[in-house]
Amino acid sequence: METKTIDAKVLQKMFIAGAKNLEAHKELINELNVFPVPDGDTGTNMTLTIMSAAKAVAAVEELDFSTLSKAISSGSLRGARGNSGVILSQLCRGFTKEIKDIEEINPEVLSRACVKAVETAYKAVMKPKEGTILTVAKGMSDKACEIMDSATDIENMIDEIIKYGNEVLDKTPEMLPVLKQAGVVDSGGKGLMTFIEGAFDSLLGKEIDYTLPEEISTSSAPASAGGAIHLEETEIKFGYCTEFIIDLEKPASEQTLTEFEQFLESIGDSIVFVPDDELIKVHVHTNDPGEAITRALKIGQLSKMKIDNMRMEHHERVIKNSEKLAKQQKEEREKAPVVPAKKKKYGFISVSVGDGLDEIFHELNVDYIISGGQTMNPSTEDILDAVDKVNAETIFVLPNNKNIILAANQAVSLVEDKKLVVIPSKTIPQGIAAMIGFVEDSSAEENLEAMTESMEYVKSGEVTYAVRDTNIDGVDIKEGNIMSIGDDGILAVGDDLDDTTIDAIEKMKDEDSEIVSLYYGAEVNEEQANKLKEKIEERFDDMEIEMYKGGQPVYYYIISVE
């Protein structure tokens, strides 16, 4: 019997089935790693993202496409973890934009929703790369548009879309050389296909347990986030940070929203554009804020307007040694009288894992530590919960991992009563350098520029072990090898921990390098760390060597060279 359309009740079951299929296969997705390190989590991130939405979907009582769309969009948005999870949430958000006001999904609606999903997800990534989850999603969207007119049975249509999606997935190694070298397909794309295949099983009437678990396991098999999109930083081209809310008398049309968003893209960057039925939240960096305001006034009344000059000079940063600064700040806090927490100008949230690293960030005046990192990416909601606990007008967030930056940026659009500023720190050393670059008397925009600039003087490395045989950048890696990974790829591979760490430092340093800081992990004791420090001092007698307890899992050492 042909299935010509999908109603809200069927879609609800399909979504939950897709989420459960993704959860059941998350370890397989985790194992599709590029770098053979024991910290992968693409499958875990995508599972936690989609399960957050599934729980909201399962709780919907007055079932129609409007309430279902809101549950999918809001649930996935708040639960999004890691780049792959954030992109998955944006695919969900775009899809629901197209179906929220309909009564049933037919082939035409399905194709439009696929197109909107892809458009929304691509906009969430500054510089999208092909060969990723985005490419797989776009392939399925293109196939949906291609067969829409001839499709009468939505089951057959989805079946063809899935087949083509898997064809595109199989081609991802040809699009990204790093995938081909590792001999894997893109893990984010695999996660997307796993979710859709589970949803399709439900449509076909296969026997499925729709009961959702109370808690989702966050453990992951040894693997790496192979589906991560690598974002490149760009220079600030636009001088004015412009923010406002457009208050609507009635919901704006899709054409009005599209045209206004396109206009913002034509005059600036760093755009946050969050429309709702009653208001539109706008953030844009532009050289002419007046243009943005004038155009916005054609849509509705404006409130909460704020314009800051991001090119104002900032104070000279004079503190270079993080340990001395941390001790000084700790002594000052201990001398200060204990008073109830009151709202302050600036607050700080940092992602960290390991008691030693946590202590370092606390001593650098970080107010709240979100436990996590490469082994467990915090969600957008985790970041929002942390924001609620910091009583400050402006809060700086330090992701300290490239796979958390998108989730942090997504949180910016969801905070109303505080200003959230994301410092794009990709490593723990960058996060420490950023905190050292903070100047209390400078504006938020000046500090964003100064803290970001501070990170440019730091090179980061991580020393761990390989969990399987592979070849990356022409380097043969065997299971069990000690391996150091730097900002741009493999630094050193060997059989001895100390020798490999020293080789990594040799690759990281240059003629301007002055300080090497190492943070030893949970599997290294203080005696071992001090012996390594002596070897490094003997090898590099022209540099200052500092050793700290980090306590981090997975990585024997985190290295900072500045």
Side-chain angles (χ1 to χ4, degrees):
M1 181 177 178
E2 291 185 348
T3 302
K4 296 184 179 296
T5 61
I6 295 172
D7 61 22
K9 184 177 181 179
V10 170
L11 184 63
Q12 182 188 44
K13 295 178 70 175
M14 289 176 67
F15 193 93
I16 294 172
K20 293 201 68 173
N21 196 49
L22 183 56
E23 199 277 335
H25 293 89
K26 70 176 184 292
E27 302 298 359
L28 172 64
I29 297 163
N30 281 335
E31 289 170 2
L32 294 175
N33 58 315
V34 174
F35 288 103
V37 297
D39 64 356
D41 49 13
T42 298
T44 302
N45 282 338
M46 296 183 77
T47 295
L48 291 170
T49 298
I50 211 67
M51 277 298 183
S52 173
K55 289 184 177 181
V57 166
V60 173
E61 295 180 354
E62 297 180 9
L63 192 60
D64 55 35
F65 277 107
S66 177
T67 55
L68 193 59
S69 295
K70 186 174 181 180
I72 292 172
S73 180
S74 177
S76 61
L77 192 70
R78 289 184 169 273
R81 295 174 187 264
N83 290 350
S84 54
V86 170
I87 292 171
L88 181 60
S89 75
Q90 291 299 316
L91 288 169
C92 290
R93 179 170 176 256
F95 192 91
T96 57
K97 283 181 181 179
E98 197 64 39
I99 67 168
K100 63 181 181 180
D101 297 322
I102 64 165
E103 294 183 1
E104 60 182 15
I105 297 176
N106 58 30
E108 180 183 356
V109 172
L110 179 62
S111 63
R112 291 203 313 265
C114 288
V115 170
K116 180 61 71 175
V118 171
E119 288 177 352
T120 304
Y122 265 87
K123 287 179 181 179
V125 181
M126 187 186 302
K127 291 187 178 180
K129 285 188 177 182
E130 296 307 324
T132 65
I133 181 177
L134 291 172
T135 309
V136 176
K138 187 176 186 303
M140 288 190 287
S141 173
D142 291 343
K143 175 58 70 171
C145 293
E146 176 189 329
I147 64 178
M148 173 189 68
D149 292 335
S150 60
T152 57
D153 183 348
I154 205 161
E155 281 187 14
N156 289 333
M157 181 181 181
I158 295 175
D159 186 42
E160 287 192 48
I161 291 171
I162 289 175
K163 288 177 180 177
Y164 188 72
N166 280 319
E167 289 179 19
V168 175
L169 177 65
D170 290 340
K171 294 176 182 177
T172 54
E174 302 302 321
M175 303 177 200
L176 275 181
V178 68
L179 294 176
K180 189 171 185 178
Q181 289 178 352
V184 296
V185 297
D186 177 68
S187 57
K190 179 63 176 177
L192 177 62
M193 295 309 304
T194 302
F195 168 68
I196 294 174
E197 287 166 350
F200 188 49
D201 285 344
S202 174
L203 183 64
L204 295 176
K206 293 185 179 180
E207 187 174 343
I208 295 170
D209 178 9
Y210 293 95
T211 305
L212 293 174
E214 290 295 322
E215 294 184 3
I216 305 300
S217 171
T218 60
S219 64
S220 61
S224 167
I229 305 267
H230 301 286
L231 306 182
E232 298 176 9
E233 308 303 332
T234 58
E235 296 180 0
I236 295 178
K237 298 178 181 178
F238 302 99
Y240 294 93
C241 176
T242 307
E243 298 178 69
F244 52 82
I245 288 177
I246 306 175
D247 296 308
L248 304 173
E249 293 184 2
K250 60 181 180 179
S253 68
E254 190 67 29
Q255 180 178 351
T256 298
L257 295 174
T258 299
E259 289 177 352
F260 184 65
E261 189 170 12
Q262 290 174 344
F263 170 74
L264 293 176
E265 291 171 350
S266 72
I267 65 167
D269 65 6
S270 298
I271 297 166
V272 174
F273 182 78
V274 183
D276 202 348
D277 290 344
E278 298 179 355
L279 57 86
I280 303 172
K281 185 172 182 177
V282 178
H283 170 281
V284 61
H285 291 176
T286 178
N287 286 327
D288 194 340
E291 285 190 28
I293 291 171
T294 300
R295 184 65 174 261
L297 284 169
K298 295 180 181 180
I299 302 175
Q301 297 183 5
L302 305 189
S303 62
K304 296 187 178 180
M305 297 174 63
K306 188 173 183 293
I307 300 173
D308 291 312
N309 187 336
M310 297 188 296
R311 293 193 177 117
M312 295 176 64
E313 292 184 3
H314 57 79
H315 291 160
E316 183 73 16
R317 296 181 306 280
V318 296
I319 302 174
K320 304 299 289 184
N321 188 306
S322 63
E323 182 183 28
K324 292 179 182 178
L325 175 63
K327 287 182 178 179
Q328 176 186 341
Q329 292 171 333
K330 183 178 181 180
E331 290 170 357
E332 290 175 352
R333 287 200 306 273
E334 289 174 346
K335 292 178 182 178
V338 177
V339 295
K342 61 180 181 180
K343 195 162 191 175
K344 55 183 180 176
K345 183 177 180 181
Y346 294 126
F348 302 91
I349 295 170
S350 177
V351 179
S352 173
V353 59
D355 53 353
L357 294 176
D358 292 353
E359 181 62 23
I360 289 171
F361 278 113
H362 279 308
E363 290 176 345
L364 288 169
N365 274 347
V366 169
D367 298 281
Y368 191 90
I369 300 290
I370 301 176
S371 181
Q374 191 70 356
T375 53
M376 180 59 193
N377 296 154
S379 68
T380 298
E381 188 159 25
D382 290 333
I383 295 169
L384 293 173
D385 289 342
V387 169
D388 289 339
K389 293 178 173 65
V390 178
N391 193 13
E393 296 174 4
T394 298
I395 300 173
F396 294 92
V397 179
L398 301 160
N400 300 333
N401 186 293
K402 65 178 180 291
N403 207 34
I404 302 174
I405 293 175
L406 276 182
N409 286 334
Q410 191 156 268
V412 173
S413 64
L414 301 174
V415 175
E416 293 289 344
D417 58 338
K418 300 172 183 176
K419 180 175 182 178
L420 209 59
V421 179
V422 178
I423 305 298
S425 54
K426 297 179 179 179
T427 65
I428 289 291
Q430 284 187 358
I432 292 172
M435 286 304 301
I436 294 172
F438 173 77
V439 179
E440 180 68 36
D441 295 332
S442 295
S443 69
E445 290 68 34
E446 290 170 337
N447 270 310
L448 171 59
E449 184 176 351
M451 294 169 78
T452 302
E453 184 180 340
S454 292
M455 299 188 307
E456 297 174 1
Y457 299 101
V458 176
K459 297 177 183 178
S460 305
E462 298 165 323
V463 184
T464 184
Y465 62 94
V467 296
R468 64 171 173 80
D469 296 351
T470 190
N471 181 287
I472 299 176
D473 299 331
V475 180
D476 286 326
I477 301 171
K478 301 297 182 182
E479 182 179 348
N481 278 163
I482 302 299
M483 178 176 59
S484 177
I485 304 170
D487 296 325
D488 299 315
I490 297 295
L491 289 170
V493 177
D495 296 318
D496 183 82
L497 176 58
D498 288 1
D499 290 346
T500 305
T501 304
I502 292 171
D503 289 345
I505 295 172
E506 180 68 51
K507 295 282 183 64
M508 295 171 68
K509 78 177 188 69
D510 56 34
E511 59 184 13
D512 297 322
S513 300
E514 297 177 352
I515 302 174
V516 177
S517 301
L518 294 100
Y519 306 86
Y520 61 92
E523 296 184 47
V524 178
N525 60 44
E526 185 176 3
E527 182 181 356
Q528 291 172 312
N530 287 332
K531 286 182 178 178
L532 174 60
K533 181 183 178 184
E534 292 174 2
K535 292 180 182 179
I536 298 172
E537 288 173 334
E538 183 177 344
R539 174 77 171 269
F540 306 106
D541 57 5
D542 58 336
M543 293 193 296
E544 181 180 349
I545 312 300
E546 301 173 345
M547 184 70 73
Y548 304 96
K549 178 184 177 183
Q552 70 275 0
V554 178
Y555 296 101
Y556 298 116
Y557 293 99
I558 294 174
I559 308 170
S560 170
V561 176
E562 54 187 305

